[in-house]
Amino acid sequence: MPESRVARPRRYLVCEPRFFAVRYAINPWMRPDRPVDVSLARRQWLSLVDAYRRHGHTVETVEPLPGLPDMVFAANAAVVVDGRVFGSRFHAPERRPESVPYAAWFKAHGFDVQHPESVCEGEGDLVPAGRWILAGTGFRTAPEAHREAQEFFGVPVIGLTLVDPYFYHLDTALFVLDEENVAYCPEAFSPGSREVLERLYPDAVLATREDAMAFGLNSVSDGRHVFISPEATALADRLADRGYVPVPVGLSEFHKAGGGIKCCTQEIRS
C-alpha cells in the first residue's frame, strides 16, 4: 500500500499574464514567430490559482508591467527561506528589469531583499529541499551565486550541473515532493551530479526525458498534492503509486516560453 502523505498549507506569489508573449528567444522552447493566445494563457493561469486555493493554499499577486512578457514566471524572481529573500540577477538582458518590481513587492510586504552579485535566477535554480538547497548551474545561474546563497541563508547549498539546454533551469528537471524526497530526470544532469542525487535521494521518483519534455518536472507539491502538467501521464502514475495525489493543470500556452506550473509560482517560506 502507498504511504499516507500529508499536505502542508503554502503561501504562493504569482503574476497575471496580462502582457505575456514570446518576443525573443532565450531558451530552445521560445519561437517569436509562434503566436501566443493571451486569453487562453490567462484562463490557464486562473485555473492554476484556483487549484491552489481549492487545496487550501494562500495565493498573492504582484502587478504585471508592460514590456516584461516573462514577468509571469514568478519563480525566477527570488528564493525565500525562513522569511529571508535572495533576489535575482537575470542572465538575459531582456529579463533583468523584472527584478525591480518583485523586489519592491517583497519590501512592501515587510521583507528585506538581498541582491545577488552573480547571475542568479531565483527558484528557477535554487530549490529549497528540507535540510539544504539544491542549486542548478550550467545554463543560467552562476556557481558563484550558489556560494552567495549559502552565505546569506546559512543553509548548505548543493550544486548540480545541468547538461540539456531544454532543461535550462533546475526546476525544469527536478522538483521537491516533500522534506525528504524529490522527483527528477537523470538525463538532465552531468554524471557527477547524477551520482550526488542518487546518494541524497535513493528513493527518488525518477522521470523519463519524455516526462520532463511534457513539463512534468516543472511541478509544485504541497507534500501530498502534486500540481502537474496533464501531459506527464507516466510520471503522474508513478507519483500516485507512491501515495501522492496528482492534480493536473494545463499550462500549454506557457510551454511556448519554456515555462510551466512551477515557473509561474514563487513559494514564500516564512
Side-chain angles (χ1 to χ4, degrees):
M1 293 291 291
E3 298 179 48
S4 177
R5 306 293 179 181
V6 178
R8 181 173 65 82
R10 310 292 174 114
R11 182 183 178 193
Y12 297 132
L13 178 65
V14 299
C15 180
E16 180 191 345
R18 192 181 309 161
F19 305 108
F20 175 59
V22 178
R23 296 180 183 167
Y24 42 78
I26 57 174
N27 67 57
W29 302 95
M30 301 180 83
R31 288 175 44 190
D33 61 342
R34 187 181 181 190
V36 168
D37 185 333
V38 178
S39 295
L40 176 57
R42 187 174 186 277
R43 292 195 299 274
Q44 292 178 337
W45 179 83
L46 287 171
S47 72
L48 177 62
V49 171
D50 179 64
Y52 286 150
R53 288 177 172 153
R54 281 190 289 105
H55 288 84
H57 305 302
T58 299
V59 181
E60 300 184 52
T61 59
V62 61
E63 185 71 11
L65 296 180
L68 299 179
D70 283 339
M71 195 175 163
V72 65
F73 298 126
N76 303 152
V79 59
V80 186
V81 177
D82 294 331
R84 306 185 74 192
V85 180
F86 191 66
S88 62
R89 182 180 295 272
F90 286 93
H91 180 268
E94 294 91 341
R95 296 200 65 185
R96 288 175 192 161
E98 294 175 35
S99 300
V100 176
Y102 277 103
W105 187 94
F106 281 112
K107 290 175 182 177
H109 287 77
F111 295 91
D112 290 326
V113 180
Q114 173 76 17
H115 296 285
E117 296 181 5
S118 306
V119 171
C120 181
E121 301 204 346
E123 281 191 317
D125 278 320
L126 296 178
V127 178
R131 293 162 288 173
W132 44 66
I133 295 173
L134 301 176
T137 192
F139 297 100
R140 299 289 184 85
T141 297
E144 292 79 11
H146 298 179
R147 292 190 283 273
E148 287 187 62
Q150 181 167 280
E151 288 299 310
F152 178 66
F153 290 120
V155 174
V157 173
I158 298 170
L160 301 168
T161 301
L162 298 161
V163 296
D164 187 327
Y166 279 94
F167 311 124
Y168 56 92
H169 274 155
L170 184 59
D171 72 359
T172 64
L174 174 151
F175 73 96
V176 173
L177 287 162
D178 50 43
E179 294 293 302
E180 302 296 331
N181 210 3
V182 302
Y184 70 94
C185 174
E187 296 172 70
F189 296 92
S190 67
S193 296
R194 204 176 303 165
E195 285 193 43
V196 169
L197 287 167
E198 289 170 359
R199 289 173 183 269
L200 293 178
Y201 302 104
D203 297 320
V205 176
L206 300 183
T208 64
R209 190 172 188 275
E210 184 179 13
D211 293 324
M213 290 292 286
F215 289 84
L217 292 167
N218 197 241
S219 295
V220 169
S221 172
D222 64 13
R224 182 169 189 262
H225 307 101
V226 178
F227 303 89
I228 188 170
S229 168
E231 290 81 18
T233 54
L235 178 56
D237 289 343
R238 291 189 199 97
L239 293 169
D241 288 343
R242 297 287 196 97
Y244 298 96
V245 180
V247 180
V249 182
L251 294 188
S252 59
E253 285 304 294
F254 300 96
H255 297 177
K256 296 175 181 178
I261 291 169
K262 177 55 193 172
C263 288
C264 291
T265 310
Q266 167 76 232
E267 183 173 348
I268 302 174
R269 302 170 186 83
S270 300

